[in-house]
């Protein structure tokens, strides 16, 4: 079971401040937990993006789903083998070809990656992460207001 809780405080340019406390409890199988703890390289992540976009695909379909410049098929096949060894992908033999599919969802991997990012670079504080995005002008007041509205509806 994963329990995540955080308090996010937003301060608008007008000086108005508001805080949001969220508690998430999610049951997860030990297999997913084990898989999610593994880190992907950029190349592996690019192949995973293609696998996630196709659900089930052959090697040529995965290569076509990768944006240009597309790597050589041997490179993608090697990356798929690594992803199988890491527990992210499974391969089903269908004749002379393998049909690949993801064992971990994009959503589960995204959650783990985001949590790791906040933990490693923002001292585990989501409010520090949001403040950083505001400071870097990558998150506007209207974005914050939309987030607040969305949080209130959940």
């Amino acid at each position: 079971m994963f329990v995540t809780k955080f308090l996010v405080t937003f301060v608008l340019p007008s000086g108005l401040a508001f805080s949001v406390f969220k508690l998430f409890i999610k049951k997860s199988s030990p297999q997913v937990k084990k898989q999610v703890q593994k880190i992907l390289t950029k190349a592996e992540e690019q192949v995973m993006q293609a696998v996630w976009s196709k659900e089930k695909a052959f090697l040529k379909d995965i290569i076509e789903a990768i944006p240009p410049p597309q790597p050589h098929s041997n490179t993608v096949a090697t990356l798929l083998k690594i992803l199988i060894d890491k527990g992210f992908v499974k391969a089903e033999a269908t004749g002379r070809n393998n049909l690949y599919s993801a064992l971990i969802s994009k959503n589960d991997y995204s959650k783990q990656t985001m949590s790791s990012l906040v933990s490693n670079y923002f001292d585990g504080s989501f409010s520090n992460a949001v403040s950083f995005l505001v400071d870097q002008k990558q998150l506007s007041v209207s974005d914050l207001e939309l987030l607040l509205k969305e949080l209130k509806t959940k």
Side-chain angles (χ1 to χ4, degrees):
M1 177 181 350
F2 294 108
V3 178
T4 305
K5 60 183 177 180
F6 60 90
L7 176 68
V8 179
T9 303
F10 300 103
V11 179
L12 301 177
S14 64
L16 176 66
F18 55 91
S19 297
V20 180
F21 178 78
K22 290 295 263 187
L23 175 66
F24 295 98
I25 300 173
K26 181 178 180 189
K27 293 183 180 178
S28 180
S29 71
Q31 180 183 15
V32 170
K33 186 176 180 181
K34 181 180 173 188
Q35 291 170 342
V36 172
Q37 292 174 348
K38 296 181 182 175
I39 297 170
L40 297 179
T41 65
K42 288 185 184 213
E44 292 165 353
E45 203 168 297
Q46 186 179 36
V47 171
M48 278 306 300
Q49 292 288 348
V51 172
W52 284 321
S53 73
K54 296 291 185 182
E55 289 188 35
K56 288 189 174 196
F58 293 103
L59 176 62
K60 68 178 185 72
D61 302 321
I62 294 169
I63 294 168
E64 289 172 3
I66 296 173
Q70 294 168 329
H72 191 275
S73 61
N74 290 344
T75 303
V76 177
T78 300
L79 289 167
L80 284 166
K81 173 146 182 18
I82 292 168
L83 290 166
I84 290 168
D85 293 342
K86 286 186 172 184
F88 280 84
V89 172
K90 72 175 180 176
E92 299 173 39
T94 56
R96 296 183 62 204
N97 297 314
N98 286 328
L99 185 62
Y100 297 97
S101 58
L103 289 174
I104 181 170
S105 73
K106 184 176 183 178
N107 191 39
D108 285 342
Y109 185 72
S110 297
K111 286 178 190 176
Q112 184 269 332
T113 303
M114 188 62 144
S115 294
S116 178
L117 174 81
V118 170
S119 177
N120 293 334
Y121 294 97
F122 300 102
D123 300 323
S125 169
F126 282 87
S127 65
N128 288 350
V130 171
S131 293
F132 175 81
L133 293 172
V134 170
D135 290 344
Q136 298 298 310
K137 300 191 183 339
Q138 294 181 4
L139 195 61
S140 69
V141 173
S142 61
D143 293 333
L144 290 172
E145 289 169 349
L146 285 172
L147 285 170
L148 179 62
K149 184 186 270 185
E150 188 176 321
L151 287 171
K152 285 182 178 180
T153 61
K154 289 186 178 187

